[in-house]
Amino acid sequence: MLKETVNLFKNVYQINPKSTYFSPGRVNIIGEYTDLAGGLVLPAALTIGAYAAVLPRKDKIVRFYSGNVGKSIITSNLDNMPFLEADGWANYLKGMFVVLKEYGIHIPHGFDICINGNLPNGAGLSSSACIEVLMGKIILTELGIELSNIELVKLAQKCENQYVGVNCGIMDQFAVCFGKENTAIMIDTNSLEYNYTTLPLDKYELIIMNTNKRRSLQESKYNVRKAEVAEAVENLSTVINFDTLCHLTLDEFLQNKDVIKNKNAYKRALHLVSENKRVKDAYKALQGERFEEFFDCIDNSHTSLKNDFEVTGFELDTIVSLAKKHGALGARMTGAGFGGCAIMFVKKGTAEDIKEKIRVEYESIVGYAPTFYDALLGEGTRKLS
Ligand code: GLA
C-alpha cells in the first residue's frame, strides 16, 4: 500500500515525493460517547489507515489528491483556506493548516500531498481523525516543529469541532495519535491521563463487523446528542455539584434524576453515567483476567447505546444480535453509531464459522452483506521514510 501510494503520487504530480507517513484508524472497545462528558474511553489504533506521500512546494499552494475518493486534484492556498462543501474529504486536511496557523505556527510554504488508504470511510473507524492527525504530523515534521502529541491531538479535535463543525470529543484523535501495537488505551478524557492495557488476544479474537450502512458524523445526530446531554447537565447542576457528568456515580445520578424534565435528556445522561462505570468495570475485569465480566460490560454497553442513548439502529442491532446468537462472547456497536461498525470478541479458532453464519443471516435480513476485518492493533501516526 505504501508503494502504491508513492506510485500514485508520481503519476499524479509527475515528480517523486520527499517523505511518506502513515496514520491508523481506531476501534473503540468500550466507553461510547463518554468523551462528551469528561468520561473514560478504551479505544485502540488499528493497523489499517491512511498512507501519505508528500513533497514541499516553494509557493503557498497546497494540492491534495486521494486514491480513494474523488480522484482529482484539489487545490488550495495557504493564505485563504475556507471550508468548501465541494472539497469534501480535503476539508479535514485544510482545517489542520488553519488550526495550526491559528495556534501560531508559521507555515511558510505549501505541499503536494497524496493520500491513499485501506480504512473504510464513514464506517465509524475514524477515517476523519486519521487524516486530521496525519496532516498535522506531516506539517509539523516537514517544518521541523516540535509539538507534543497531546497538543496535536487537541488541534485535530479543534479542526473537527470548529472547521468541519462536528462537536466530537477527543477520543478518536487521541487513539489515532497514541496507538501502540496489540494494546488498547484507557483515556480519562477529562484530565487526558492515559494508560496502556493489553487485550487477551492470545485467547480471543477481536473482529470488526461493518454493517455497510454508511453515515457521516456531519449527517448523524451527533450534535443533537451533545445538546441533549448539555440539557441534562444544566438541570442536574441546579441540585448537585459536579465538575463533569461522568464524575457522578450511578447512585448520585439516580438520586437526583427527577430534576431532568426532558425524558430524552435523562436517558442520554443515564447512558453516559452507566457507560463510564462499565468502562471502569471492564478495565478492572481485564486486569483481573475475569474475561466473562469484561464481555458482559461489552454486551451491556450495546444495550445502553440502543435503549438509552439511541444511536444504534436496525443494521447495528441486527448484526450485534446475530453475533451473540452465533457464539460471540461479547458484541457491541463501536464509534458514533447510526450505522458503521460493531465489534465482537470470539474464542480463538471460532471466528470463521461465526462470521459465515452472521454473513448469511445478515444478508437475508438486511438485504446486503456485511464486511469483516480481523482487528489488528497497531502504532499511532508516524513518519515512514
Ligand atoms: C465519534 C467521536 C468521538 C466519540 C465517538 C462516540 O467517533 O468523534 O469523540 O464521541 O463518536 O464514542
Side-chain angles (χ1 to χ4, degrees):
M1 187 109 234
L2 172 63
K3 214 165 160 204
E4 195 183 310
T5 311
V6 170
N7 285 335
L8 200 60
F9 185 100
K10 287 189 203 162
N11 284 340
V12 171
Y13 297 116
Q14 298 294 314
I15 188 166
N16 286 328
K18 173 176 165 262
S19 326
T20 57
Y21 292 79
F22 174 76
S23 189
R26 71 94 188 89
V27 63
N28 191 18
I29 309 296
I30 193 165
E32 219 63 83
Y33 280 94
T34 41
D35 66 348
L36 293 189
L40 300 166
V41 291
L42 188 68
L46 297 168
T47 52
I48 50 174
Y51 291 83
V54 188
L55 182 68
R57 295 174 58 96
K58 296 208 162 52
D59 56 13
K60 299 271 179 124
I61 303 288
V62 187
R63 295 195 294 173
F64 306 100
Y65 183 89
S66 160
N68 303 102
V69 274
K71 306 217 167 161
S72 63
I73 296 178
I74 294 173
T75 305
S76 196
N77 191 304
L78 278 179
D79 291 334
N80 182 27
M81 282 196 154
F83 181 97
L84 295 176
E85 208 63 61
D87 287 352
W89 64 276
N91 284 307
Y92 295 94
L93 308 187
K94 286 161 52 191
M96 287 308 293
F97 283 90
V98 172
V99 293
L100 282 164
K101 275 171 70 177
E102 279 170 12
Y103 185 79
I105 288 173
H106 175 56
I107 307 176
H109 58 75
F111 298 90
D112 283 339
I113 301 155
C114 172
I115 292 203
N116 190 30
N118 47 15
L119 193 65
N121 287 333
L125 302 179
S126 284
S127 48
S128 48
C130 161
I131 60 173
E132 285 158 0
V133 178
L134 176 64
M135 192 67 251
K137 193 61 132 196
I138 292 173
I139 300 169
L140 294 168
T141 312
E142 292 299 312
L143 297 179
I145 292 167
E146 300 229 346
L147 190 73
S148 70
N149 276 342
I150 287 277
E151 284 307 311
L152 170 57
V153 163
K154 287 188 195 160
L155 289 170
Q157 184 197 12
K158 189 172 170 204
C159 166
E160 183 122 4
N161 290 168
Q162 295 182 5
Y163 189 86
V164 179
V166 176
N167 289 317
C168 67
I170 202 162
M171 169 172 76
D172 301 349
Q173 290 78 5
F174 205 115
V176 160
C177 194
F178 281 83
K180 247 191 206 311
E181 208 179 325
N182 285 328
T183 304
I185 320 168
M186 171 78 147
I187 309 163
D188 178 329
T189 63
N190 190 48
S191 66
L192 297 188
E193 280 167 18
Y194 62 99
N195 273 315
Y196 288 106
T197 181
T198 49
L199 295 173
L201 298 177
D202 50 336
K203 294 188 182 65
Y204 307 103
E205 275 174 74
L206 172 59
I207 310 287
I208 299 175
M209 308 182 278
N210 191 345
T211 60
N212 285 327
K213 160 129 195 296
R214 283 195 51 149
R215 57 112 196 96
S216 81
L217 278 191
Q218 272 167 302
E219 294 155 16
S220 79
K221 297 210 174 74
Y222 199 93
N223 288 348
V224 177
R225 289 293 175 275
K226 181 148 181 166
E228 289 165 339
V229 172
E231 184 177 338
V233 167
E234 198 180 313
N235 293 162
L236 281 167
S237 55
T238 60
V239 290
I240 181 169
N241 266 333
F242 55 98
D243 52 357
T244 163
L245 181 63
C246 282
H247 284 180
L248 289 180
T249 64
L250 196 49
D251 281 348
E252 282 167 339
F253 174 73
L254 293 173
Q255 279 157 18
N256 292 283
K257 70 175 181 12
D258 292 344
V259 74
I260 309 172
K261 294 293 172 233
N262 177 331
K263 190 168 159 248
N264 281 344
Y266 160 69
K267 284 166 69 178
R268 311 311 181 226
L270 173 63
H271 163 74
L272 292 180
V273 176
S274 66
E275 181 80 348
N276 200 55
K277 179 174 183 316
R278 278 186 291 275
V279 184
K280 282 187 198 162
D281 292 346
Y283 186 76
K284 276 192 229 146
L286 272 181
Q287 305 303 309
E289 302 196 358
R290 298 186 305 278
F291 300 125
E292 270 174 34
E293 247 176 85
F294 171 71
F295 296 135
D296 282 347
C297 295
I298 300 279
D299 290 343
N300 294 337
S301 168
H302 186 86
T303 307
S304 176
L305 286 155
K306 175 177 180 223
N307 297 335
D308 293 336
F309 215 66
E310 296 184 275
V311 290
T312 56
F314 174 62
E315 297 80 3
L316 279 167
D317 291 335
T318 302
I319 210 156
V320 165
S321 67
L322 289 176
K324 291 298 293 180
K325 175 177 167 192
H326 294 302
L329 302 164
R332 60 181 287 277
M333 59 154 265
T334 186
F338 302 105
C341 289
I343 55 168
M344 64 173 171
F345 282 93
V346 300
K347 223 172 131 203
K348 254 210 154 128
T350 63
E352 289 316 311
D353 179 47
I354 296 177
K355 283 195 273 188
E356 193 45 36
K357 286 180 175 147
I358 297 173
R359 191 192 322 271
V360 171
E361 221 173 312
Y362 181 87
E363 189 165 359
S364 87
I365 297 172
V366 174
Y368 49 83
T371 313
F372 298 96
Y373 320 99
D374 301 338
L376 301 177
L377 310 183
E379 301 285 323
T381 311
R382 59 198 181 271
K383 184 174 178 177
L384 298 175
S385 65

